[in-house]
Amino acid sequence: MEKIHIIKIGGNIIDNPERLNTFLKDFAVIPGKKVLVHGGGKIASDLSLTLGISPKLIDGRRVTDADSLKVVTMVYGGLINKNVVAQLQAHQCNAIGLTGADGNIIQAHKRVHPQIDYGFVGDIDKVDGEKLDVFLKGGFVPVFAALTHDQQGTMLNTNADTIAAQLAIALSGFYQTELVYCFEKKGVLKSIDNENSVIRQLDETAYQHLKQEGVIAAGMIPKLDNAFETLHKGVHSVIIGKAEDLLHSITENDVLGTLLQGPVKQ
Amino acid sequence: MEKIHIIKIGGNIIDNPERLNTFLKDFAVIPGKKVLVHGGGKIASDLSLTLGISPKLIDGRRVTDADSLKVVTMVYGGLINKNVVAQLQAHQCNAIGLTGADGNIIQAHKRVHPQIDYGFVGDIDKVDGEKLDVFLKGGFVPVFAALTHDQQGTMLNTNADTIAAQLAIALSGFYQTELVYCFEKKGVLKSIDNENSVIRQLDETAYQHLKQEGVIAAGMIPKLDNAFETLHKGVHSVIIGKAEDLLHSITENDVLGTLLQGPVKQ
Protein backbone atom coordinates (compact mmCIF):
# COMPACT_ATOMS: atom_id res chain seq x y z
CA MET A 1 0.00 0.00 0.00
CA GLU A 2 1.18 3.52 -0.81
CA LYS A 3 2.18 5.60 2.22
CA ILE A 4 0.62 8.90 3.24
CA HIS A 5 1.51 11.31 6.05
CA ILE A 6 -1.15 13.36 7.83
CA ILE A 7 0.69 16.07 9.75
CA LYS A 8 -0.87 18.34 12.36
CA ILE A 9 0.70 21.59 13.55
CA GLY A 10 -0.58 23.96 16.20
CA GLY A 11 -0.06 27.44 17.59
CA ASN A 12 3.58 26.92 18.59
CA ILE A 13 4.47 26.83 14.90
CA ILE A 14 1.67 28.93 13.37
CA ASP A 15 2.36 31.87 15.71
CA ASN A 16 6.08 31.99 14.94
CA PRO A 17 6.69 33.20 11.34
CA GLU A 18 10.28 31.92 11.26
CA ARG A 19 9.44 28.47 12.60
CA LEU A 20 6.45 28.30 10.26
CA ASN A 21 8.62 29.19 7.28
CA THR A 22 11.21 26.54 8.18
CA PHE A 23 8.48 23.98 8.81
CA LEU A 24 6.81 24.65 5.45
CA LYS A 25 10.13 24.41 3.59
CA ASP A 26 10.74 21.01 5.21
CA PHE A 27 7.14 19.88 4.71
CA ALA A 28 7.36 20.75 1.01
CA VAL A 29 10.12 18.20 0.41
CA ILE A 30 8.50 15.25 2.20
CA PRO A 31 8.26 12.64 -0.52
CA GLY A 32 4.97 11.01 -1.44
CA LYS A 33 1.43 11.91 -0.54
CA LYS A 34 0.72 14.15 2.43
CA VAL A 35 -1.92 16.24 4.16
CA LEU A 36 -1.37 19.19 6.50
CA VAL A 37 -3.81 20.15 9.27
CA HIS A 38 -3.35 23.40 11.13
CA GLY A 39 -5.02 24.89 14.15
CA GLY A 40 -5.13 28.55 14.85
CA GLY A 41 -3.28 30.19 17.64
CA LYS A 42 -2.66 33.60 19.07
CA ILE A 43 -3.69 35.38 15.86
CA ALA A 44 -7.37 34.57 16.40
CA SER A 45 -7.27 35.57 20.08
CA ASP A 46 -5.46 38.80 19.22
CA LEU A 47 -7.99 39.70 16.54
CA SER A 48 -10.86 38.92 18.93
CA LEU A 49 -9.36 41.22 21.53
CA THR A 50 -8.88 44.02 18.99
CA LEU A 51 -12.51 43.61 17.93
CA GLY A 52 -13.64 43.67 21.56
CA ILE A 53 -14.81 40.05 21.57
CA SER A 54 -13.83 38.62 24.93
CA PRO A 55 -12.92 34.91 24.98
CA LYS A 56 -15.46 32.74 26.75
CA LEU A 57 -14.17 29.65 28.53
CA ILE A 58 -16.22 26.91 30.19
CA ASP A 59 -14.19 24.30 32.10
CA GLY A 60 -11.08 25.49 30.29
CA ARG A 61 -12.70 25.03 26.90
CA ARG A 62 -13.30 27.91 24.61
CA VAL A 63 -16.92 28.58 23.73
CA THR A 64 -17.45 29.71 20.15
CA ASP A 65 -20.20 32.31 19.95
CA ALA A 66 -21.35 33.82 16.63
CA ASP A 67 -18.73 36.58 16.68
CA SER A 68 -15.93 34.16 17.60
CA LEU A 69 -17.03 31.88 14.75
CA LYS A 70 -16.59 34.78 12.34
CA VAL A 71 -13.11 35.40 13.71
CA VAL A 72 -11.96 31.77 13.40
CA THR A 73 -13.49 31.47 9.93
CA MET A 74 -11.54 34.56 8.88
CA VAL A 75 -8.29 33.69 10.63
CA TYR A 76 -8.08 29.90 10.26
CA GLY A 77 -9.90 29.57 6.94
CA GLY A 78 -8.59 32.80 5.38
CA LEU A 79 -5.47 34.40 6.79
CA ILE A 80 -3.55 31.35 8.04
CA ASN A 81 -4.76 28.82 5.50
CA LYS A 82 -4.18 30.95 2.42
CA ASN A 83 -0.77 32.18 3.58
CA VAL A 84 0.31 28.61 4.31
CA VAL A 85 -0.88 27.58 0.83
CA ALA A 86 0.90 30.52 -0.85
CA GLN A 87 4.13 29.72 1.01
CA LEU A 88 3.96 26.02 0.14
CA GLN A 89 3.38 26.98 -3.49
CA ALA A 90 6.55 29.11 -3.32
CA HIS A 91 8.35 25.89 -2.28
CA GLN A 92 6.93 24.02 -5.29
CA CYS A 93 4.44 22.08 -3.16
CA ASN A 94 1.06 22.02 -4.90
CA ALA A 95 -1.02 22.87 -1.83
CA ILE A 96 -4.75 23.45 -1.81
CA GLY A 97 -6.48 24.99 1.21
CA LEU A 98 -9.58 23.29 2.54
CA THR A 99 -12.05 23.24 5.39
CA GLY A 100 -14.45 20.42 6.10
CA ALA A 101 -17.12 22.32 4.16
CA ASP A 102 -15.13 22.30 0.91
CA GLY A 103 -16.28 19.36 -1.13
CA ASN A 104 -18.30 18.31 1.94
CA ILE A 105 -15.23 16.31 2.95
CA ILE A 106 -15.86 16.53 6.71
CA GLN A 107 -19.45 16.28 7.81
CA ALA A 108 -20.07 17.43 11.36
CA HIS A 109 -22.78 18.65 13.71
CA LYS A 110 -22.91 21.35 16.37
CA ARG A 111 -21.84 19.76 19.64
CA VAL A 112 -24.69 18.53 21.80
CA HIS A 113 -23.97 18.56 25.54
CA PRO A 114 -26.50 18.12 28.37
CA GLN A 115 -25.16 21.04 30.44
CA ILE A 116 -22.90 23.22 28.36
CA ASP A 117 -23.60 25.12 25.16
CA TYR A 118 -20.22 25.13 23.43
CA GLY A 119 -21.62 27.31 20.68
CA PHE A 120 -20.45 26.77 17.11
CA VAL A 121 -18.17 23.83 17.82
CA GLY A 122 -18.25 20.82 15.52
CA ASP A 123 -18.14 17.13 16.33
CA ILE A 124 -17.27 15.06 13.29
CA ASP A 125 -19.75 12.54 11.88
CA LYS A 126 -17.95 11.39 8.76
CA VAL A 127 -14.96 12.03 6.54
CA ASP A 128 -15.42 11.37 2.83
CA GLY A 129 -12.10 9.70 2.07
CA GLU A 130 -12.99 9.05 -1.54
CA LYS A 131 -13.58 12.72 -2.27
CA LEU A 132 -10.39 13.67 -0.48
CA ASP A 133 -8.60 11.09 -2.61
CA VAL A 134 -9.71 12.95 -5.76
CA PHE A 135 -7.40 15.78 -4.67
CA LEU A 136 -4.57 13.47 -3.67
CA LYS A 137 -4.77 11.55 -6.94
CA GLY A 138 -4.91 14.89 -8.79
CA GLY A 139 -1.47 15.69 -7.37
CA PHE A 140 -2.65 18.23 -4.80
CA VAL A 141 -1.52 18.51 -1.18
CA PRO A 142 -4.57 19.28 0.99
CA VAL A 143 -4.07 21.83 3.77
CA PHE A 144 -6.95 21.74 6.25
CA ALA A 145 -7.94 24.56 8.56
CA ALA A 146 -9.61 23.50 11.82
CA LEU A 147 -13.12 24.16 10.54
CA THR A 148 -16.00 21.91 9.52
CA HIS A 149 -19.67 22.57 8.71
CA ASP A 150 -23.08 21.30 9.79
CA GLN A 151 -24.35 20.63 6.24
CA GLN A 152 -27.04 23.22 6.89
CA GLY A 153 -25.01 26.25 5.94
CA THR A 154 -23.07 26.95 9.14
CA MET A 155 -19.33 26.64 9.65
CA LEU A 156 -18.12 25.01 12.88
CA ASN A 157 -14.91 25.48 14.87
CA THR A 158 -13.37 22.01 15.21
CA ASN A 159 -10.39 20.60 17.08
CA ALA A 160 -7.42 20.21 14.74
CA ASP A 161 -6.11 17.02 16.45
CA THR A 162 -9.50 15.41 15.89
CA ILE A 163 -9.62 16.50 12.25
CA ALA A 164 -6.16 15.00 11.64
CA ALA A 165 -7.18 11.75 13.37
CA GLN A 166 -10.41 11.41 11.41
CA LEU A 167 -8.72 12.21 8.08
CA ALA A 168 -6.08 9.55 8.84
CA ILE A 169 -8.72 6.95 9.68
CA ALA A 170 -10.70 7.72 6.52
CA LEU A 171 -7.61 7.49 4.32
CA SER A 172 -6.56 4.15 5.85
CA GLY A 173 -8.79 2.38 3.37
CA PHE A 174 -6.63 3.67 0.50
CA TYR A 175 -3.20 4.25 2.00
CA GLN A 176 -0.79 3.16 4.70
CA THR A 177 -1.40 6.15 6.94
CA GLU A 178 1.02 7.74 9.35
CA LEU A 179 -0.43 10.38 11.66
CA VAL A 180 2.12 12.97 12.80
CA TYR A 181 1.31 15.16 15.81
CA CYS A 182 3.71 18.07 16.14
CA PHE A 183 3.66 19.64 19.58
CA GLU A 184 5.94 21.54 21.98
CA LYS A 185 7.71 18.52 23.55
CA LYS A 186 10.18 16.12 21.96
CA GLY A 187 7.75 13.24 22.44
CA VAL A 188 6.00 11.33 25.21
CA LEU A 189 8.30 11.82 28.19
CA LYS A 190 9.02 9.43 31.06
CA SER A 191 9.74 12.45 33.17
CA ILE A 192 7.84 15.59 32.28
CA ASP A 193 10.73 17.94 33.06
CA ASN A 194 13.34 15.98 31.18
CA GLU A 195 13.27 16.43 27.41
CA ASN A 196 15.83 13.62 27.15
CA SER A 197 13.42 11.06 28.62
CA VAL A 198 11.50 10.55 25.35
CA ILE A 199 9.85 7.14 25.09
CA ARG A 200 10.91 6.07 21.60
CA GLN A 201 8.31 3.37 21.04
CA LEU A 202 5.06 2.74 22.79
CA ASP A 203 2.62 -0.11 22.25
CA GLU A 204 -0.76 -0.23 23.89
CA THR A 205 0.21 -2.71 26.63
CA ALA A 206 3.20 -0.62 27.66
CA TYR A 207 1.07 2.53 27.51
CA GLN A 208 -1.61 1.11 29.81
CA HIS A 209 1.12 0.04 32.19
CA LEU A 210 2.81 3.46 32.24
CA LYS A 211 -0.56 5.16 32.61
CA GLN A 212 -1.39 3.06 35.69
CA GLU A 213 2.01 3.81 37.17
CA GLY A 214 1.35 7.52 36.74
CA VAL A 215 4.35 7.97 34.45
CA ILE A 216 2.40 9.55 31.59
CA ALA A 217 1.59 13.22 32.24
CA ALA A 218 -2.14 13.83 32.74
CA GLY A 219 -2.24 16.29 29.83
CA MET A 220 -0.94 13.63 27.46
CA ILE A 221 -3.57 11.02 28.29
CA PRO A 222 -6.45 12.24 26.06
CA LYS A 223 -3.98 12.76 23.18
CA LEU A 224 -2.59 9.24 23.56
CA ASP A 225 -5.98 7.60 24.12
CA ASN A 226 -7.14 9.19 20.86
CA ALA A 227 -3.94 8.18 19.09
CA PHE A 228 -4.34 4.53 20.09
CA GLU A 229 -7.97 4.67 19.00
CA THR A 230 -6.88 5.71 15.50
CA LEU A 231 -4.58 2.66 15.41
CA HIS A 232 -7.56 0.44 16.19
CA LYS A 233 -9.41 2.08 13.33
CA GLY A 234 -6.85 1.38 10.65
CA VAL A 235 -4.13 4.00 11.03
CA HIS A 236 -0.72 2.35 10.57
CA SER A 237 1.34 4.46 12.98
CA VAL A 238 1.33 7.69 14.96
CA ILE A 239 4.37 9.79 15.75
CA ILE A 240 4.38 12.54 18.36
CA GLY A 241 7.08 15.12 19.02
CA LYS A 242 8.67 18.36 17.90
CA ALA A 243 7.97 19.35 14.30
CA GLU A 244 11.64 19.62 13.33
CA ASP A 245 12.40 16.12 14.68
CA LEU A 246 9.35 14.54 13.09
CA LEU A 247 9.98 15.92 9.62
CA HIS A 248 13.52 14.59 9.97
CA SER A 249 12.02 11.24 11.02
CA ILE A 250 9.98 11.11 7.85
CA THR A 251 12.61 12.16 5.34
CA GLU A 252 15.44 10.17 6.96
CA ASN A 253 13.30 7.23 8.07
CA ASP A 254 14.86 7.45 11.54
CA VAL A 255 12.25 8.07 14.21
CA LEU A 256 12.88 10.91 16.64
CA GLY A 257 9.92 11.52 18.92
CA THR A 258 7.57 8.79 20.09
CA LEU A 259 6.32 6.13 17.69
CA LEU A 260 3.02 4.38 18.35
CA GLN A 261 2.28 1.38 16.21
CA GLY A 262 -0.93 -0.49 15.74
CA PRO A 263 -1.50 -4.21 16.07
CA VAL A 264 0.43 -6.06 13.36
CA LYS A 265 -1.85 -6.53 10.36
CA GLN A 266 -2.40 -9.86 8.67
CA MET B 1 -18.63 20.64 -26.47
CA GLU B 2 -19.97 20.53 -22.93
CA LYS B 3 -21.23 23.87 -21.58
CA ILE B 4 -19.90 25.62 -18.50
CA HIS B 5 -21.05 28.80 -16.76
CA ILE B 6 -18.60 31.12 -15.00
CA ILE B 7 -20.66 33.44 -12.85
CA LYS B 8 -19.34 36.54 -11.10
CA ILE B 9 -21.14 38.28 -8.24
CA GLY B 10 -20.11 41.42 -6.39
CA GLY B 11 -20.87 43.44 -3.30
CA ASN B 12 -24.51 44.13 -4.18
CA ILE B 13 -25.24 40.44 -3.55
CA ILE B 14 -22.49 39.52 -1.06
CA ASP B 15 -23.45 42.38 1.30
CA ASN B 16 -27.13 41.45 1.41
CA PRO B 17 -27.65 38.15 3.30
CA GLU B 18 -31.16 37.63 1.90
CA ARG B 19 -30.18 38.28 -1.70
CA LEU B 20 -27.10 36.11 -1.25
CA ASN B 21 -29.18 33.27 0.14
CA THR B 22 -31.65 33.47 -2.74
CA PHE B 23 -28.82 33.71 -5.25
CA LEU B 24 -27.04 30.65 -3.84
CA LYS B 25 -30.26 28.63 -3.84
CA ASP B 26 -30.75 29.47 -7.52
CA PHE B 27 -27.08 28.95 -8.36
CA ALA B 28 -27.17 25.48 -6.76
CA VAL B 29 -29.78 24.23 -9.25
CA ILE B 30 -28.07 25.47 -12.43
CA PRO B 31 -27.58 22.29 -14.42
CA GLY B 32 -24.15 21.25 -15.65
CA LYS B 33 -20.70 22.48 -14.80
CA LYS B 34 -20.26 25.90 -13.21
CA VAL B 35 -17.82 28.16 -11.40
CA LEU B 36 -18.64 31.02 -9.03
CA VAL B 37 -16.38 34.05 -8.54
CA HIS B 38 -17.10 36.52 -5.77
CA GLY B 39 -15.64 39.84 -4.87
CA GLY B 40 -15.78 41.30 -1.43
CA GLY B 41 -17.82 44.26 -0.49
CA LYS B 42 -18.70 46.29 2.51
CA ILE B 43 -17.63 43.57 4.97
CA ALA B 44 -13.93 44.14 4.24
CA SER B 45 -14.26 47.94 4.44
CA ASP B 46 -16.21 47.67 7.70
CA LEU B 47 -13.61 45.37 9.25
CA SER B 48 -10.81 47.69 8.12
CA LEU B 49 -12.56 50.63 9.75
CA THR B 50 -13.06 48.69 13.00
CA LEU B 51 -9.38 47.76 12.99
CA GLY B 52 -8.41 51.37 12.35
CA ILE B 53 -7.06 50.71 8.86
CA SER B 54 -8.10 53.66 6.73
CA PRO B 55 -8.80 52.93 3.05
CA LYS B 56 -6.21 54.36 0.70
CA LEU B 57 -7.40 55.40 -2.74
CA ILE B 58 -5.26 56.58 -5.66
CA ASP B 59 -7.21 57.82 -8.70
CA GLY B 60 -10.32 56.14 -7.32
CA ARG B 61 -8.54 52.81 -7.01
CA ARG B 62 -8.03 51.16 -3.68
CA VAL B 63 -4.41 50.62 -2.69
CA THR B 64 -3.80 47.38 -0.83
CA ASP B 65 -1.17 47.87 1.87
CA ALA B 66 0.05 44.99 4.08
CA ASP B 67 -2.74 45.45 6.64
CA SER B 68 -5.43 45.71 3.97
CA LEU B 69 -4.07 42.53 2.37
CA LYS B 70 -4.57 40.73 5.69
CA VAL B 71 -8.14 42.01 5.86
CA VAL B 72 -9.07 40.91 2.33
CA THR B 73 -7.36 37.53 2.82
CA MET B 74 -9.45 37.04 5.97
CA VAL B 75 -12.71 38.38 4.61
CA TYR B 76 -12.69 37.24 0.96
CA GLY B 77 -10.71 34.00 1.42
CA GLY B 78 -12.13 33.07 4.84
CA LEU B 79 -15.40 34.62 5.97
CA ILE B 80 -17.20 35.11 2.64
CA ASN B 81 -15.73 32.17 0.73
CA LYS B 82 -16.31 29.57 3.45
CA ASN B 83 -19.81 30.77 4.25
CA VAL B 84 -20.73 30.69 0.55
CA VAL B 85 -19.34 27.15 0.32
CA ALA B 86 -21.20 26.01 3.46
CA GLN B 87 -24.46 27.49 2.15
CA LEU B 88 -24.05 25.89 -1.27
CA GLN B 89 -23.36 22.56 0.43
CA ALA B 90 -26.63 22.99 2.33
CA HIS B 91 -28.30 23.26 -1.09
CA GLN B 92 -26.64 20.02 -2.25
CA CYS B 93 -24.16 21.84 -4.47
CA ASN B 94 -20.72 20.31 -4.02
CA ALA B 95 -18.82 23.59 -3.73
CA ILE B 96 -15.13 23.95 -3.00
CA GLY B 97 -13.64 27.30 -2.05
CA LEU B 98 -10.50 28.43 -3.84
CA THR B 99 -8.17 31.34 -4.36
CA GLY B 100 -5.64 31.59 -7.16
CA ALA B 101 -2.98 30.22 -4.78
CA ASP B 102 -4.84 26.94 -4.22
CA GLY B 103 -3.43 24.40 -6.62
CA ASN B 104 -1.49 27.31 -8.19
CA ILE B 105 -4.49 27.71 -10.48
CA ILE B 106 -4.05 31.45 -11.01
CA GLN B 107 -0.50 32.69 -11.33
CA ALA B 108 -0.11 36.43 -10.91
CA HIS B 109 2.42 39.12 -10.08
CA LYS B 110 2.30 42.26 -7.97
CA ARG B 111 1.18 45.09 -10.25
CA VAL B 112 3.99 47.10 -11.78
CA HIS B 113 3.10 50.71 -12.55
CA PRO B 114 5.52 53.52 -13.45
CA GLN B 115 3.93 56.08 -11.11
CA ILE B 116 1.65 54.37 -8.63
CA ASP B 117 2.40 51.66 -6.08
CA TYR B 118 -0.90 49.81 -5.87
CA GLY B 119 0.47 47.61 -3.09
CA PHE B 120 -0.49 43.98 -2.94
CA VAL B 121 -2.65 43.94 -6.07
CA GLY B 122 -2.30 41.08 -8.52
CA ASP B 123 -2.23 41.11 -12.31
CA ILE B 124 -2.85 37.67 -13.77
CA ASP B 125 -0.17 35.91 -15.82
CA LYS B 126 -1.76 32.54 -16.39
CA VAL B 127 -4.69 30.34 -15.42
CA ASP B 128 -4.03 26.60 -15.28
CA GLY B 129 -7.22 25.34 -16.90
CA GLU B 130 -6.12 21.72 -16.75
CA LYS B 131 -5.71 21.79 -12.98
CA LEU B 132 -9.02 23.54 -12.57
CA ASP B 133 -10.57 20.86 -14.72
CA VAL B 134 -9.43 18.21 -12.21
CA PHE B 135 -11.93 19.73 -9.78
CA LEU B 136 -14.67 20.08 -12.37
CA LYS B 137 -14.23 16.52 -13.57
CA GLY B 138 -14.18 15.39 -9.92
CA GLY B 139 -17.73 16.75 -9.57
CA PHE B 140 -16.81 19.84 -7.57
CA VAL B 141 -18.11 23.38 -8.09
CA PRO B 142 -15.20 25.82 -7.66
CA VAL B 143 -15.98 29.04 -5.76
CA PHE B 144 -13.21 31.59 -6.24
CA ALA B 145 -12.47 34.48 -3.90
CA ALA B 146 -10.89 37.53 -5.55
CA LEU B 147 -7.36 36.62 -4.48
CA THR B 148 -4.33 35.31 -6.34
CA HIS B 149 -0.67 34.86 -5.37
CA ASP B 150 2.76 35.84 -6.68
CA GLN B 151 4.22 32.29 -6.54
CA GLN B 152 6.73 33.62 -4.01
CA GLY B 153 4.57 33.20 -0.94
CA THR B 154 2.47 36.36 -1.02
CA MET B 155 -1.28 36.58 -1.59
CA LEU B 156 -2.53 39.35 -3.91
CA ASN B 157 -5.84 41.21 -3.99
CA THR B 158 -7.20 40.75 -7.52
CA ASN B 159 -10.17 42.14 -9.42
CA ALA B 160 -13.01 39.60 -9.46
CA ASP B 161 -14.22 40.55 -12.98
CA THR B 162 -10.72 39.87 -14.30
CA ILE B 163 -10.50 36.53 -12.48
CA ALA B 164 -13.84 35.45 -13.96
CA ALA B 165 -12.73 36.53 -17.45
CA GLN B 166 -9.39 34.72 -17.23
CA LEU B 167 -10.99 31.54 -15.85
CA ALA B 168 -13.51 31.60 -18.71
CA ILE B 169 -10.78 32.04 -21.32
CA ALA B 170 -8.69 29.21 -19.82
CA LEU B 171 -11.67 26.85 -19.73
CA SER B 172 -12.61 27.60 -23.35
CA GLY B 173 -10.17 24.93 -24.46
CA PHE B 174 -12.27 22.29 -22.71
CA TYR B 175 -15.79 23.68 -22.62
CA GLN B 176 -18.25 25.96 -24.35
CA THR B 177 -17.90 28.79 -21.85
CA GLU B 178 -20.52 31.34 -20.90
CA LEU B 179 -19.31 34.21 -18.74
CA VAL B 180 -22.04 35.71 -16.56
CA TYR B 181 -21.48 39.14 -15.01
CA CYS B 182 -24.05 39.94 -12.34
CA PHE B 183 -24.24 43.62 -11.49
CA GLU B 184 -26.70 46.23 -10.23
CA LYS B 185 -28.36 47.05 -13.59
CA LYS B 186 -30.63 44.88 -15.73
CA GLY B 187 -28.06 44.90 -18.52
CA VAL B 188 -26.36 47.29 -20.87
CA LEU B 189 -28.78 50.20 -21.11
CA LYS B 190 -29.49 52.47 -24.07
CA SER B 191 -30.47 55.13 -21.60
CA ILE B 192 -28.69 54.98 -18.23
CA ASP B 193 -31.76 56.08 -16.24
CA ASN B 194 -34.16 53.69 -17.89
CA GLU B 195 -33.96 50.11 -16.67
CA ASN B 196 -36.35 49.15 -19.48
CA SER B 197 -33.87 50.18 -22.17
CA VAL B 198 -31.80 47.02 -21.92
CA ILE B 199 -29.97 46.13 -25.13
CA ARG B 200 -30.78 42.44 -25.51
CA GLN B 201 -28.03 41.51 -27.91
CA LEU B 202 -24.83 43.26 -28.74
CA ASP B 203 -22.23 42.28 -31.29
CA GLU B 204 -18.92 44.04 -31.61
CA THR B 205 -19.86 46.12 -34.63
CA ALA B 206 -23.01 47.40 -32.94
CA TYR B 207 -21.05 48.02 -29.73
CA GLN B 208 -18.39 50.15 -31.49
CA HIS B 209 -21.18 52.08 -33.17
CA LEU B 210 -23.03 52.73 -29.88
CA LYS B 211 -19.78 53.64 -28.17
CA GLN B 212 -18.98 56.25 -30.82
CA GLU B 213 -22.47 57.66 -30.57
CA GLY B 214 -22.00 58.05 -26.80
CA VAL B 215 -24.92 55.73 -26.03
CA ILE B 216 -22.93 53.38 -23.79
CA ALA B 217 -22.35 54.81 -20.30
CA ALA B 218 -18.69 55.61 -19.62
CA GLY B 219 -18.60 53.29 -16.62
CA MET B 220 -19.65 50.35 -18.80
CA ILE B 221 -16.93 50.79 -21.41
CA PRO B 222 -14.03 49.00 -19.63
CA LYS B 223 -16.39 46.16 -18.64
CA LEU B 224 -17.60 45.74 -22.22
CA ASP B 225 -14.15 46.14 -23.78
CA ASN B 226 -12.95 43.34 -21.50
CA ALA B 227 -16.00 41.23 -22.25
CA PHE B 228 -15.44 41.48 -26.02
CA GLU B 229 -11.79 40.65 -25.49
CA THR B 230 -12.78 37.36 -23.81
CA LEU B 231 -14.91 36.55 -26.87
CA HIS B 232 -11.85 37.01 -29.07
CA LYS B 233 -9.96 34.65 -26.78
CA GLY B 234 -12.36 31.73 -27.04
CA VAL B 235 -15.25 32.50 -24.68
CA HIS B 236 -18.54 31.53 -26.36
CA SER B 237 -20.81 34.20 -24.88
CA VAL B 238 -21.06 36.80 -22.14
CA ILE B 239 -24.25 37.83 -20.39
CA ILE B 240 -24.51 40.95 -18.24
CA GLY B 241 -27.35 41.94 -15.97
CA LYS B 242 -29.08 41.45 -12.62
CA ALA B 243 -28.27 38.16 -10.89
CA GLU B 244 -31.91 37.07 -10.60
CA ASP B 245 -32.54 37.64 -14.32
CA LEU B 246 -29.34 35.94 -15.41
CA LEU B 247 -29.90 32.79 -13.37
CA HIS B 248 -33.38 32.68 -14.89
CA SER B 249 -31.76 33.10 -18.32
CA ILE B 250 -29.57 30.08 -17.71
CA THR B 251 -32.13 27.69 -16.27
CA GLU B 252 -34.91 28.71 -18.67
CA ASN B 253 -32.67 29.33 -21.67
CA ASP B 254 -34.38 32.68 -22.22
CA VAL B 255 -31.96 35.55 -22.07
CA LEU B 256 -32.82 38.47 -19.83
CA GLY B 257 -30.01 40.99 -19.59
CA THR B 258 -27.55 41.71 -22.38
CA LEU B 259 -26.06 38.90 -24.44
CA LEU B 260 -22.71 39.35 -26.15
CA GLN B 261 -21.72 36.69 -28.61
CA GLY B 262 -18.39 36.02 -30.19
CA PRO B 263 -17.61 35.53 -33.84
CA VAL B 264 -19.33 32.40 -35.17
CA LYS B 265 -16.89 29.49 -34.92
CA GLN B 266 -16.08 27.14 -37.75
Side-chain angles (χ1 to χ4, degrees), chain A residues 82 94-95 97 102-104 135, chain B residues 82 89 94-95 97 102-104 135:
Chain A
K82 296 311 165 188
N94 197 9
D102 298 290
N104 196 21
F135 301 119
Chain B
K82 296 311 165 187
Q89 287 291 348
N94 197 9
D102 298 290
N104 196 21
F135 301 118

Side-chain angles (χ1 to χ4, degrees), chain A:
Chain A
M1 244 180 167
E2 191 181 350
K3 278 190 192 178
I4 191 168
H5 291 97
I6 295 95
I7 302 180
K8 185 256 165 176
I9 55 170
N12 65 328
I13 293 176
I14 296 288
D15 290 335
N16 182 332
E18 267 179 54
R19 269 193 93 184
L20 179 61
N21 184 41
T22 307
F23 172 84
L24 295 175
K25 227 157 109 178
D26 292 345
F27 177 85
V29 298
I30 294 175
K33 293 202 166 52
K34 54 201 171 187
V35 175
L36 182 62
V37 181
H38 64 82
K42 250 170 59 67
I43 310 171
S45 327
D46 289 353
L47 181 63
S48 292
L49 270 180
T50 312
L51 295 174
I53 304 165
S54 45
K56 276 181 208 127
L57 296 166
I58 297 180
D59 292 342
R61 282 175 178 264
R62 183 189 292 268
V63 174
T64 308
D65 60 11
D67 282 334
S68 305
L69 178 67
K70 279 188 188 174
V71 169
V72 295
T73 306
M74 289 196 287
V75 174
Y76 301 176
L79 191 61
I80 298 174
N81 192 262
K82 296 311 165 188
N83 278 310
V84 164
V85 167
Q87 286 181 59
L88 285 174
Q89 288 289 348
H91 298 305
Q92 275 75 52
C93 170
N94 197 9
I96 168 178
L98 297 170
T99 68
D102 298 290
N104 196 21
I105 287 169
I106 309 175
Q107 298 160 26
H109 62 269
K110 198 163 172 280
R111 179 169 298 164
V112 181
H113 188 281
Q115 278 90 41
I116 304 165
D117 180 5
Y118 284 93
F120 297 100
V121 166
D123 285 327
I124 296 174
D125 296 314
K126 203 196 142 193
V127 172
D128 191 332
E130 276 182 49
K131 268 195 209 137
L132 182 51
D133 201 31
V134 172
F135 301 119
L136 293 164
K137 287 233 164 65
F140 299 102
V141 175
V143 176
F144 277 91
L147 295 164
T148 62
H149 74 139
D150 67 358
Q151 298 181 80
Q152 291 165 53
T154 303
M155 296 298 293
L156 296 168
N157 189 7
T158 305
N159 182 280
D161 280 9
T162 311
I163 288 181
Q166 295 297 324
L167 292 175
I169 292 168
L171 289 172
S172 293
F174 314 97
Y175 299 96
Q176 180 184 309
T177 49
E178 183 160 74
L179 181 54
V180 182
Y181 281 126
C182 303
F183 82 138
E184 67 277 12
K185 304 272 179 197
K186 282 192 162 185
V188 182
L189 303 177
K190 267 196 187 150
S191 163
I192 196 170
D193 300 319
N194 181 1
E195 281 274 342
N196 294 320
S197 69
V198 173
I199 302 168
R200 291 286 167 209
Q201 290 213 24
L202 197 56
D203 66 23
E204 198 152 12
T205 318
Y207 169 57
Q208 295 302 344
H209 200 71
L210 290 170
K211 198 159 80 168
Q212 277 166 9
E213 285 180 329
V215 172
I216 307 285
M220 281 303 291
I221 291 174
K223 214 180 190 69
L224 286 169
D225 282 347
N226 290 335
F228 279 108
E229 207 196 314
T230 66
L231 295 177
H232 286 291
K233 291 184 173 163
V235 173
H236 179 263
S237 50
V238 181
I239 52 176
I240 302 180
K242 269 201 203 303
E244 295 76 0
D245 294 344
L246 298 184
L247 293 190
H248 169 89
S249 301
I250 294 165
T251 45
E252 303 297 321
N253 212 8
D254 161 29
V255 175
L256 301 172
T258 300
L259 170 70
L260 318 184
Q261 271 182 309
V264 178
K265 280 177 203 148
Q266 301 306 315

